[in-house]
Amino acid sequence: MTVRRTGGAPETGADRGRTARPPLTGPQRFLLAGSFLITLGSFAVLPYMSVLLHQRLGLGIGTVGVVLAVASLIQFAGGVAAGPVTGRIGLRRAMLLALALRTAGFAAFVPGLTSWVLAVGALLLVSAGAALYLPANKAYLVEGASEVARPRLLSASGSAFNAGMALGPPAAAPLVMGSPGVLFSCVCVLFALVGAGHALLPREASDRGGGRPAATPVRGSVAPPSGPSPFLVTVLSVYAFMFFQHYLALYAVPRTSAAFYGAVLTGYAALLVVAQPLLAERVAALSYPAALRMGFGAMAAGMAAIGAGGHAGIAVGGALLCLGEIVLFLKNDLEALARSTAAPASVFGRQRLAAGIGAFASGVVGGQLYGAAESAGSARGFWAAVCLQCLLLPVFLLRRRRAPARRRTARDPEGSRAAAD
């Protein structure tokens, strides 16, 4: 398919070369650096919340589970509020509001170390801020960006977040139990400084009265495209991926060691940070069906490798899961942006909701499935079952894609042939 610019002149290879890598602007560079620092601070604290609530504040483990479930629900499902909020106050102000909520939450953790009520309230504040910040951050990052620039920006954003996630827990480990007040104070100061930097960002075009720039369709797609909804694909992508995230530790640590499991997670994060930007343009160039086959296929192969067991199988499985995550998660966001006429913050908010639904479903199904596999005396059966699901998901999704096309052809065969011509 030949891509045409305004005026009808075909785009040449030289044109694509000149526009393939537009330089990052100052605000974009700041947002990427801020994304790393924000995630670093968040993951210096949040992975240890169950320990703090249970061991330090004395909450029962069942109560802790409920609190964390509610916080996760707010963090993911609350993303749907990003569209209305950013539409009313603008992207920059929405990010400032989100960071104010998170700064207040981390500040409240300091007195909350002696009161579970304050600690739970602080956690919910932090979760509410996270729900609003990420969609607004991504929307500001891609506002006005060309089709060529969007994959690189979104992949760089993902790398920044994943780098913070990888480095946050080990950075906080020396303080989290011995001096948690110092840790929370440092994180609070970090968020306050990053928030002050956000206050210096220029207002986006829509907030200056320039309106929302027209959405640019993904190269090679036809608008409006037929096919599986990116929302549904995101639900199922996260559903499949979270089996790995939730249950690898239960499987790997007894069969290898905690140190090896930690090394796999560190290597996974490093590979994701490096490979995601390098593969971004290739992922963007894939058709959606091809991306689904490749992404779910890599996940299926990764689950099978993990089930084979041993150090090599688990390491190779992690690398394949990383490839699946890169392809599916980036392509889903790009496809959702290309198909929607809504503001990007609304699109990313719905994608967060989809991710939350997928993670919740994976946790519920995975717990029952892993328990059944262990009861049967074969934890490897769990990974075989997940592998089978990953193989069947693209078949299910692409069959749904072909069925509406067949119905349209049956209703209007001449029109369908004309459209194909």
Side-chain angles (χ1 to χ4, degrees):
M1 177 179 177
T2 301
V3 179
R4 295 189 177 275
R5 297 170 294 182
T6 303
E11 184 184 55
T12 66
D15 293 327
R16 285 193 294 271
R18 282 193 296 268
T19 61
R21 293 186 177 276
L24 295 177
T25 65
Q28 287 170 341
R29 292 178 185 277
F30 172 80
L31 281 182
L32 293 175
S35 295
F36 167 73
L37 293 173
I38 286 169
T39 315
L40 177 72
S42 297
F43 276 79
V45 172
L46 298 181
Y48 300 105
M49 285 310 304
S50 59
V51 177
L52 290 170
L53 292 173
H54 179 56
Q55 293 187 5
R56 187 179 183 93
L57 297 174
L59 289 184
I61 194 66
T63 304
V64 170
V66 172
V67 169
L68 295 180
V70 171
S72 297
L73 182 63
I74 291 173
Q75 184 171 340
F76 282 100
V80 296
V85 171
T86 57
R88 180 172 293 274
I89 67 175
L91 295 173
R92 184 179 65 114
R93 290 174 181 170
M95 288 190 289
L96 288 172
L97 173 60
L99 290 172
L101 289 173
R102 301 187 81 179
T103 303
F106 285 118
F109 270 120
V110 178
L113 292 171
T114 58
S115 167
W116 71 265
V117 175
L118 284 175
V120 170
L123 177 60
L124 298 183
L125 271 178
V126 170
S127 299
L132 178 59
Y133 181 79
L134 186 58
N137 171 283
K138 283 187 171 182
Y140 191 104
L141 193 64
V142 303
E143 190 198 33
S146 68
E147 172 207 344
V148 174
R150 280 181 171 181
R152 186 165 64 107
L153 290 170
L154 290 177
S155 63
S157 175
S159 292
F161 275 98
N162 281 289
M165 289 170 62
L167 296 177
L175 294 174
V176 69
M177 294 306 295
S179 304
V182 174
L183 174 62
F184 285 116
S185 298
C186 291
V187 173
C188 179
V189 171
L190 174 64
F191 270 79
L193 292 174
V194 173
H198 279 66
L200 301 177
L201 288 171
R203 290 183 299 169
E204 63 275 15
S206 56
D207 199 30
R208 295 193 296 267
R212 178 181 179 268
T216 306
V218 175
R219 179 165 46 237
S221 67
V222 179
S226 62
S229 158
F231 184 92
L232 175 61
V233 178
T234 299
V235 170
L236 295 177
S237 300
V238 176
Y239 165 81
F241 173 76
M242 292 305 287
F243 287 115
F244 165 76
Q245 192 83 349
H246 284 151
Y247 300 103
L248 181 63
L250 288 175
Y251 179 80
V253 172
R255 290 164 177 80
T256 56
S257 67
F260 178 76
Y261 170 70
V264 168
L265 292 188
T266 301
Y268 184 99
L271 181 60
L272 192 63
V273 169
V274 173
Q276 198 167 22
L278 294 177
L279 296 176
E281 292 179 6
R282 295 187 179 185
V283 172
L286 290 172
S287 68
Y288 205 26
L292 298 188
R293 294 188 187 99
M294 178 180 292
F296 282 113
M299 285 191 179
M303 301 297 183
I306 291 170
H311 293 73
I314 292 171
V316 171
L320 289 167
L321 264 294
C322 183
L323 174 61
E325 178 183 353
I326 290 170
V327 173
L328 287 175
F329 290 13
L330 176 58
K331 191 65 176 181
N332 287 339
D333 277 355
L334 292 172
E335 194 75 9
L337 278 174
R339 293 190 186 193
S340 179
T341 58
S346 296
V347 174
F348 290 126
R350 288 196 295 267
Q351 290 296 97
R352 289 281 291 173
L353 174 60
I357 295 171
F360 178 80
S362 182
V364 172
V365 174
Q368 300 300 317
L369 193 60
Y370 199 90
E374 279 201 328
S375 298
S378 176
R380 290 181 176 180
F382 169 81
W383 299 103
V386 176
C387 172
L388 181 61
Q389 290 183 71
C390 292
L391 289 173
L392 293 177
L393 284 174
V395 176
F396 162 74
L397 290 166
L398 296 176
R399 176 169 294 182
R400 284 172 55 91
R401 173 181 181 268
R402 288 191 293 268
R406 286 196 297 267
R407 287 195 293 270
R408 285 194 300 272
T409 302
R411 287 195 301 267
D412 185 13
E414 294 300 324
S416 299
R417 280 197 293 271
D421 293 339

